[in-house]
Each structure stands twice: as structure tokens, then as C-alpha cells.
Amino acid sequence: PQQDKQVNSSSSSCDPALRPIIRRRARSLPTSPERRKRAEVQCQVPGCLSRMNRVRFADALGLELTEVKVFQSGEDPSIPLHVLSRLSINSDLWYSGSDLEFTMQCLVPDFQQPADFVDFSSRLQEQQVCLERVTSSDLGISGSIHVHNIAFEKMVSVRYTFNQWKSFCELCAQWHSSIPEKNGQNRVDVFTFFLHVPPFLLQLCSVVQFAVRYQVNGQEYWDNNRGKNYSLTCWSHPLKMPRECEGSWIHFI
């Protein structure tokens, strides 16, 4: 006959004992003894044995945010072109005489801003799409485009080339706002775009050409500056700055 045995509940199951879940924060990588020794500054007040607080910066995983890069002999670090140009500007200011004059290479539009024409509205009415204006810097070209709100679904893009249309690329413009036309009857959508300029285009006489395309309701409309396309050419632009503003250029480096 089987005999009843009293068995503890802890031994009646083959399941492992449950443990509470403890979430631990990631710890920073251990520092070297030399760094730890330098960071642990003893309090200089007599009788005080406490150490000063230490501050360390870490990412979301608790890892160090700093990294030491060792360059081999003859290996130069890679410095962006726009940083070098601003360093060159600061150097010119430092060694210049009484007049703070220097030159910068920048892309200059070869056309008048379309928004400055008195027939801008009629041009938009005729083409359904029209470039408003562009601005340029050493980082890129930004611009705004007006299109007639023919339908809700629409696509506006900029087709551009760096080599006289031997090849070209196209980027999509982003919707910015909707405004009423001057006659108050039609609505106009405003799109904006930003074209990144590669470093080689900041050389003298380099040219960027582009045209604007508007696709809506299965139709396609273009603004190519009356068949001439819009172009910007890189030129040296003279700049002057008062001597008292020399130190302010450090903010641009």
C-alpha cells in the first residue's frame, strides 16, 4: 500500500525558484588607475576625509562619450572643406593690415529673382508652377516654389546638373504652406527645397543648373526660366568687416 507523504511545496515542483526581476543600469567602462588617481582629489580641509565629486558623461548604455584617436606618422585628419575655408578667413583677418578685407567663393545666381518681376503672378498663371527665389551658401542652395493648387495630390521636384546636363539628378521639394493668390480667387501652395553643394563646386566658374517640375492630375508642368534654365556660378565675392569685429569670427569656426 502507498503511504501518504507530506512533501514541502518547494520540493513538489521541478520548476526553478522564481526570482524577482531587477533592472540594472549600464555601468561606465572602468577607468585607468592613472585617471582614477587624478580624479580622486582629497579634500584639503584638516580633518576632512571626503573626496570631491566626480562628473563623467556617458551615453544611453553608460559607455564613454569620448574616444582617443591615434594618428600614424604622415596621416592627416580629415577636415571638412567649409571648416578649412572659415579657418582661412580667420587667418586672413589676423595677418591683414588696417583694412579687414578678404574674399569668399560662393555660388551667385545668374538670374534675377523671379518674385521681383512684376509679371510673377501672370507667369505663375501661365505655367502653373514658378520658382519664387533662391539663396546660396557654402553648404548648399535653398529655394521656394509656387504652384497652383490644382489638386490635393501633387509632387514638386527640382531637376539639377553639375555638368551641363550630361547627367542630372532630381530631388523632391517639401510642402511649406498655402497662401491665397493676389487676385484672391486661387490658392497657391508653397514648396521649399535644399540642394547640398559638393565641395568641388566651390571652385571658380563652377556652374549649377536646374529646372522645376510640377506633377498633378497626370499632367506635368515645368518652369525652366523660359527655356534657359536657372543657373548659379561660383565667383569670388569680396567682403569687408570692421576691425573691432575680428574676434567675432571665432563663432563661425
Side-chain angles (χ1 to χ4, degrees):
Q2 297 180 355
Q3 294 180 357
D4 294 337
K5 296 181 179 179
Q6 294 182 355
V7 183
N8 295 333
S9 60
S10 60
S11 61
S12 61
S13 174
C14 296
D15 297 334
L18 298 178
R19 297 181 179 178
I21 299 177
I22 300 177
R23 297 183 180 273
R24 297 182 178 179
R25 297 179 60 184
R27 297 180 178 178
S28 301
L29 293 174
T31 59
S32 62
E34 292 78 7
R35 289 183 57 188
R36 188 184 301 111
K37 185 176 180 180
R38 290 195 301 266
E40 295 175 355
V41 180
Q42 299 291 338
C43 181
Q44 302 298 326
V45 179
C48 178
L49 299 179
S50 62
R51 296 181 302 181
M52 297 182 65
N53 293 332
R54 292 180 299 164
V55 178
R56 298 179 62 193
F57 297 93
D59 59 11
L61 299 178
L63 302 178
E64 296 283 357
L65 288 179
T66 59
E67 180 181 356
V68 178
K69 170 65 176 176
V70 179
F71 291 94
Q72 302 295 332
S73 177
E75 181 183 1
D76 296 328
S78 177
I79 303 177
L81 181 62
H82 70 276
V83 175
L84 289 176
S85 63
R86 298 193 187 280
L87 288 173
S88 177
I89 292 172
N90 194 63
S91 177
D92 292 342
L93 291 176
W94 180 263
Y95 291 105
S96 61
S98 57
D99 297 331
L100 297 180
E101 297 182 359
F102 56 95
T103 59
M104 287 188 64
Q105 294 179 356
C106 57
L107 291 169
V108 180
D110 300 324
F111 54 90
Q112 185 178 352
Q113 300 290 350
D116 296 337
F117 286 103
V118 295
D119 63 341
F120 178 75
S121 296
S122 59
R123 188 171 179 176
L124 176 60
Q125 185 70 31
E126 175 189 351
Q127 301 177 161
Q128 304 299 322
V129 55
C130 191
L131 176 73
E132 182 186 19
R133 63 179 64 253
V134 296
T135 58
S136 61
S137 67
D138 57 348
L139 298 179
I141 303 169
S142 58
S144 56
I145 304 167
H146 284 197
V147 299
H148 272 151
N149 187 20
I150 300 176
F152 179 79
E153 295 290 338
K154 59 178 69 71
M155 187 175 74
V156 180
S157 57
V158 176
R159 181 172 294 185
Y160 61 94
T161 179
F162 301 143
N163 54 12
Q164 301 293 330
W165 300 107
K166 296 177 182 178
S167 62
F168 62 85
C169 299
E170 195 160 340
L171 64 88
C172 291
Q174 303 297 321
W175 183 87
H176 181 267
S177 59
S178 181
I179 59 176
E181 203 174 11
K182 289 185 178 180
N183 56 21
Q185 298 178 358
N186 301 322
R187 299 291 296 182
V188 174
D189 283 338
V190 181
F191 284 75
T192 59
F193 66 92
F194 182 80
L195 173 60
H196 292 278
V197 174
F200 66 83
L201 281 179
L202 294 178
Q203 300 176 1
L204 291 179
C205 299
S206 297
V207 179
V208 181
Q209 293 179 295
F210 70 91
V212 180
R213 181 168 70 156
Y214 176 32
Q215 296 172 284
V216 59
N217 280 351
Q219 300 293 323
E220 188 175 84
Y221 305 94
W222 285 87
D223 177 19
N224 58 5
N225 193 22
R226 304 294 190 185
K228 297 179 293 185
N229 294 320
Y230 295 101
S231 63
L232 297 92
T233 305
C234 183
W235 298 107
S236 292
H237 186 66
L239 296 176
K240 294 183 180 181
M241 187 178 66
R243 169 65 65 176
E244 57 270 16
C245 298
E246 179 179 353
S248 63
W249 281 96
I250 192 65
H251 299 288
F252 294 93
I253 300 177

